[in-house]
Amino acid sequence: MSGRKKLAMALLWLATIATALAVVHSTQRSRELTAQLGQAQKARDELRYEQERLLLEKGAWSAYSRIEKVAREELDMHVPAPDERVLVPAK
């Protein structure tokens, strides 16, 4: 083999090794990113569940019947009788 052929062969081997290392690196990076995506999707699902739970709780706390019950039982409020009502004239 001549010197040029040996040099070309060595360069091809180096290129092959570099390409193989690049493939290994990109495969590993792809696996890492896939794992991160799975974790992010799990966190998203947990946050969605928490949001739905909080919306239901908000609805329960702001329901008219609950507000009326708290006003009556805890604040000792009642609907005013007609003789307790006072009309304030508009200016």
Side-chain angles (χ1 to χ4, degrees):
M1 264 186 164
S2 69
R4 286 185 140 183
K5 285 185 179 181
K6 287 182 181 179
L7 180 62
M9 187 65 83
L11 288 175
L12 285 174
W13 272 106
L14 287 175
T16 303
I17 290 172
T19 303
L21 290 174
V23 168
V24 169
H25 175 73
S26 66
T27 302
Q28 180 62 27
R29 185 69 179 138
S30 174
R31 287 180 181 155
E32 290 171 359
L33 291 174
T34 301
Q36 287 178 2
L37 176 63
Q39 291 172 350
Q41 288 174 336
K42 182 180 177 184
R44 179 204 59 203
D45 293 342
E46 289 172 359
L47 288 171
R48 279 187 182 167
Y49 172 76
E50 179 73 8
Q51 180 188 25
E52 290 173 9
R53 188 187 64 76
L54 290 172
L55 286 173
L56 285 173
E57 188 174 333
K58 177 185 173 189
W61 281 95
S62 63
Y64 182 77
S65 60
R66 184 185 181 289
I67 293 172
E68 186 178 2
K69 179 182 175 188
V70 169
R72 200 176 327 105
E73 294 175 2
E74 295 179 21
L75 301 175
D76 199 29
M77 297 174 78
H78 65 280
V79 177
D83 60 330
E84 295 176 316
R85 295 179 189 163
V86 177
L87 297 177
V88 179
K91 289 185 179 182

